[in-house]
Amino acid sequence: MKSADTFAMNLKTNTMQKIILLLAFLTFNLSSAQTKKKQILLIGTFHYANPGRDIAQVKAFDIMSDKSQKELETMSDKIKKFGPDKIFVEWKYSKQAELDKFYNKNTDSLFKSDKNEITQLALRTAKKLKHTKLYGIDYRTRFPYDSLMMSMEKANQKDLMKINDESTKESENQHNQRIGKISLIDMMLFYNKKETENQNIQWYLEVANRTGNPDDFTGASLVSNWYKRNLYMYSLVQKLTESKDEKVMVLLGAGHAAMLREFIKHDPTFEIVELSSVLK
């Protein structure tokens, strides 16, 4: 009897150990699945069509040249290999229906007539991936640059005005000097360098946020609106990225991309994939 009881107890113990090990294994796998980060290809860009809405006024890039069009094919092919499940672009979220109509237009005609980076890079890539749509995430806020300059003058901030003029001219010169010398791919890589992204953020804190007399928060208001716009855009990326999406791509103006990079650093959901690694 004792032998039988011992055998039964050993069997029970072994069974319990196996169950515990199985549960531990399942828990580990579930935890790993939950903590696996989604990859986000964050691409900052200059505006191919150069609409002239930025503070710095820069020369237009010949995006329609044969050389640029070949490079766009190369970039879109390499991004296709990366394989984003969704592509987010700088198009008003409230105008998604218009973006859907735009997406379904004749693409050959669009590629020959529309210089915008949404068409030339995002749509081109999405079509190769056989996506059914692009996702607009832009959210506009006030950007009273004229009021900022008036507050600066009113506060007699001559040193700040000088820094503002110099930083604007530097941005213009950096872009314009590269326009005729380097390729489209090199231009894109330049705008996604850490140093360039830091410059995009620096102006808001070094210049804009300092603007005005102590009781004048015109500068801080402009900066907070800029942060708000980008936070809203990132919120849309977060909410529109579904659990089934393993990889996404975000194509935005370089200033926006620089801000989103800062937000992503503190969000364990995503890990950034650098454009340079995709274009190798």
Side-chain angles (χ1 to χ4, degrees):
M1 287 295 292
K2 288 183 179 179
S3 177
D5 289 343
T6 302
F7 175 77
M9 286 182 66
N10 288 338
L11 181 62
K12 184 177 180 181
T13 300
N14 290 336
T15 303
M16 286 299 295
Q17 288 176 340
K18 288 178 181 178
I19 291 173
I20 291 169
L21 285 171
L22 179 60
L23 287 171
F25 177 75
L26 291 172
T27 302
F28 175 78
N29 280 325
L30 180 60
S31 175
S32 296
Q34 289 174 339
T35 57
K36 183 180 179 182
K37 294 188 177 184
K38 297 178 182 297
Q39 294 186 316
I40 180 167
L41 174 59
L42 180 62
I43 304 177
T45 182
F46 64 98
H47 294 301
Y48 294 176
N50 189 22
R53 289 195 294 264
D54 294 332
I55 296 169
Q57 296 300 300
V58 295
K59 296 177 183 176
F61 190 92
D62 188 4
I63 202 68
M64 293 303 189
S65 70
D66 289 343
K67 186 173 185 297
S68 293
Q69 288 296 306
K70 287 177 182 177
E71 288 186 272
L72 284 162
E73 287 295 321
T74 298
M75 281 195 288
S76 54
D77 283 342
K78 288 183 179 291
I79 296 171
K80 179 187 175 183
K81 288 182 181 178
F82 168 68
D85 298 299
K86 282 189 175 76
I87 297 178
F88 300 103
V89 295
E90 194 176 331
W91 185 295
K92 284 185 180 179
Y93 171 72
S94 60
K95 304 286 186 182
Q96 181 64 46
E98 293 180 11
L99 180 56
D100 292 341
K101 289 180 182 177
F102 179 79
Y103 187 81
N104 290 312
K105 286 183 178 180
N106 183 288
T107 50
D108 289 337
S109 175
L110 281 175
F111 293 151
K112 292 176 182 177
S113 61
D114 191 340
K115 297 180 180 180
N116 192 287
E117 61 273 7
I118 293 176
T119 298
Q120 293 296 329
L121 183 56
L123 188 144
R124 189 187 300 259
T125 304
K127 289 291 184 180
K128 289 182 178 182
L129 287 161
K130 294 183 167 50
H131 287 184
T132 57
K133 65 188 296 182
L134 293 170
Y135 294 83
I137 59 169
D138 198 5
Y139 182 93
R140 299 292 172 87
T141 55
R142 290 185 68 250
F143 195 89
Y145 184 74
D146 289 344
S147 298
L148 188 81
M149 293 297 100
M150 289 172 62
S151 290
M152 209 179 286
E153 289 178 12
K154 187 177 179 180
N156 197 31
Q157 295 174 308
K158 293 180 180 178
D159 290 343
L160 200 59
M161 292 171 73
K162 182 181 178 182
I163 293 171
N164 180 60
D165 289 341
E166 288 174 350
S167 64
T168 302
K169 287 177 183 176
E170 184 181 356
S171 295
E172 291 173 353
N173 290 335
Q174 281 183 342
H175 180 91
N176 293 337
Q177 286 173 8
R178 285 171 172 78
I179 279 282
K181 296 180 181 179
I182 64 176
S183 67
L184 173 61
I185 289 177
D186 285 337
M187 285 287 287
M188 294 296 291
L189 291 173
F190 167 75
Y191 275 99
N192 286 275
K193 286 174 62 177
K194 185 177 180 181
E195 296 84 354
T196 312
E197 289 183 332
N198 287 342
Q199 287 175 5
N200 275 310
I201 297 175
Q202 183 176 325
W203 178 85
Y204 291 94
L205 298 175
E206 181 187 18
V207 178
N209 206 55
R210 273 194 173 89
T211 296
N213 288 309
D215 60 347
D216 179 357
F217 294 97
T218 301
S221 178
L222 181 147
V223 174
S224 63
N225 276 335
W226 176 248
Y227 270 78
K228 178 180 178 180
R229 181 180 178 185
N230 288 287
L231 278 168
Y232 275 43
M233 292 168 79
Y234 185 54
S235 173
L236 286 166
V237 172
Q238 291 173 309
K239 290 183 281 192
L240 293 173
T241 300
E242 301 173 88
S243 57
K244 65 180 180 180
D245 299 326
E246 296 181 359
K247 301 176 182 179
V248 297
M249 168 182 154
V250 181
L251 177 68
L252 300 170
H256 298 297
M259 294 298 299
L260 262 66
R261 178 179 288 273
E262 292 301 306
F263 303 152
I264 294 168
K265 284 180 183 177
H266 306 286
D267 182 353
T269 307
F270 293 108
E271 62 179 356
I272 293 176
V273 174
E274 300 295 345
L275 178 64
S276 57
S277 67
V278 171
L279 296 184
K280 277 183 180 178

